[in-house]
Amino acid sequence: MTASEIRELLKWLTTDVISFGGGMPDPSTFPVEDIAKITAYVLETYPHAALQYSPTDGVPELRRELAKFVDTYAGIKAKPENVFITVGSQEALEIIGRLFIDPGDVVITENPTYIAALQSWRVYQPRLVGIPMDSQGMIVEKLEEAVKRLKAEGARIKYVYTIPTAQNPSGLTMSQDRRKHLLEVAERYDLLIVEDDPYSYFLFEPIQVTPLKALDRSDRVIYLSTASKIFAPGFRLGWVIANEELVSWFNLAKQALNINTTTFVQYIFMEGLRRNVVLNNLPRVRELYRKKRDAMLAALETHMPPGVSWTKPSGGMFIWATVPPHIDTRELLKVAITKYRVAFVPGHGFSVDQSLRNAMRLNFTYPTFEQIEEGIRRLSMAIKGA
Ligand code: PMP
């Protein structure tokens, strides 16, 4: 096990450090009043069930509500038996590693990819293979080349992990044509796909895409999503949509991990879905995040010296920036925090081979508009001084 760079970093954060580090929502987006009312209602209406242990798969009524939600929201056709409730998507990622990876097995990901997915899987000693991206997301031709090569070597490919919409850390979105192509390749080589989708709720551009799971005709996609960014990350509630056999495997793994996801939280979220709290809040939150993205892009344009480039995210919470090759962003971070009072996440941890040394991830949803402007100004000074 290795320490998460993000978690380690949080120790150094004092109130005068502007943080572009974590992936936290703007706290003004939390539906506090709705949650207060719903909590009282849940305690009045289902006090015994809501405070009791519950089935490992999840509270049945929540599984039913989520089967409806993923259909309305994303066109995913699922029965309640296909829905599995987890302690955030992070638990689903951990369970996937546990179920599938034996030492030396191949796991294919976008490169860069979500730092904490890599962190949870490394424990099981996979061979991680990264596929580059362009503005349309993962380059599927490169994936096919890698799969052919790996199969010829006799490697066991366990799954392809993708965050197709508003990816963490790049903010890029895979085009609809690429999605279809990815599924064709998966069909041809009989690959399982893990689709991680916390951010499709926050697409800022009119891009027409559907989740891979909505296009999946042969049950080869395991779809993950979460209440973290659209309700409250403190709830630690996520869901998996998969075929029933996989759901039974998830059940087996989770029994030993934590028996069930917090029952009370499941009831509150279920009521939130019934009252449309999520769907009603989304337009406002999406607009706020679009403005924050634009503010960060404008600040980067104003302050950054030549030689620094960055992605233009179509959605989500992050910008991925690349600095001149002589700068190691792990070293830069120390100076940025201690001297300039600004923080980010260095690129290394997002790459399968720790190679992205001159890159960094910047979060634009948590800081205020003033902090975005001032923090990017400070960061540009740190880069100029490096
Ligand atoms: N996957 C991705 C791509 C994420 O960005 C995150 C949160 N940062 C997660 C999974 C985990 O989210 P949670 O456990 O809060 O649902």
Side-chain angles (χ1 to χ4, degrees), residues 137-285:
M138 185 197 289
I139 304 175
V140 178
E141 285 79 12
K142 300 259 185 219
L143 168 71
E144 187 163 8
E145 279 167 31
V147 170
K148 271 192 203 151
R149 198 180 58 243
L150 289 159
K151 291 244 170 183
E153 283 171 21
R156 288 187 310 261
I157 305 175
K158 285 300 173 73
Y159 54 87
V160 178
Y161 172 64
T162 175
I163 310 159
T165 310
Q167 202 238 15
N168 180 359
S170 66
L172 299 172
T173 293
M174 191 187 288
S175 64
Q176 190 71 358
D177 283 351
R178 283 268 172 94
R179 288 172 196 236
K180 290 185 183 149
H181 190 186
L182 173 58
L183 284 169
E184 278 162 27
V185 170
E187 218 44 73
R188 202 170 308 139
Y189 297 92
D190 195 19
L191 304 169
L192 197 62
I193 295 179
V194 175
E195 175 179 31
D196 193 358
D197 186 31
Y199 300 115
S200 65
Y201 310 96
F202 310 119
L203 258 184
F204 311 136
E205 313 293 341
I207 305 174
Q208 294 304 322
V209 284
T210 45
L212 294 163
K213 187 68 192 161
L215 305 169
D216 178 23
R217 299 281 161 262
S218 49
D219 259 355
R220 59 181 66 256
V221 178
I222 304 178
Y223 174 89
L224 322 181
S225 193
T226 173
S228 286
K229 320 292 172 173
I230 53 174
F231 203 66
F235 269 42
R236 312 303 307 123
L237 188 113
W239 52 95
V240 176
I241 312 286
N243 71 46
E244 284 181 54
E245 186 184 357
L246 282 168
V247 165
S248 72
W249 295 7
F250 267 78
N251 183 313
L252 200 61
K254 186 175 167 77
Q255 285 170 21
L257 279 171
N258 47 36
I259 306 173
N260 63 262
T261 301
T262 311
T263 316
F264 191 31
V265 155
Q266 293 190 59
Y267 271 87
I268 295 171
F269 188 59
M270 175 188 80
E271 258 321 297
L273 288 176
R274 285 184 180 162
R275 296 178 190 202
N276 274 326
V277 174
V278 169
L279 290 177
N280 291 343
N281 275 352
L282 270 182
R284 182 180 69 85
V285 182

Side-chain angles (χ1 to χ4, degrees), residues 19-29 199 202 204 229 285-286 288-293 296 315-319 361-369 371-372:
S19 177
F20 301 136
M24 293 199 282
D26 183 320
S28 76
T29 66
Y199 300 115
F202 310 119
F204 311 136
K229 320 292 172 173
V285 182
R286 195 182 296 127
L288 174 67
Y289 290 173
R290 189 184 61 73
K291 286 190 180 135
K292 286 192 163 187
R293 173 204 61 175
M296 187 171 274
M317 297 192 160
F318 308 103
I319 292 175
R361 190 191 72 177
L362 302 170
N363 166 262
F364 54 78
T365 56
Y366 183 70
T368 63
F369 286 96
Q371 287 173 328
I372 289 174

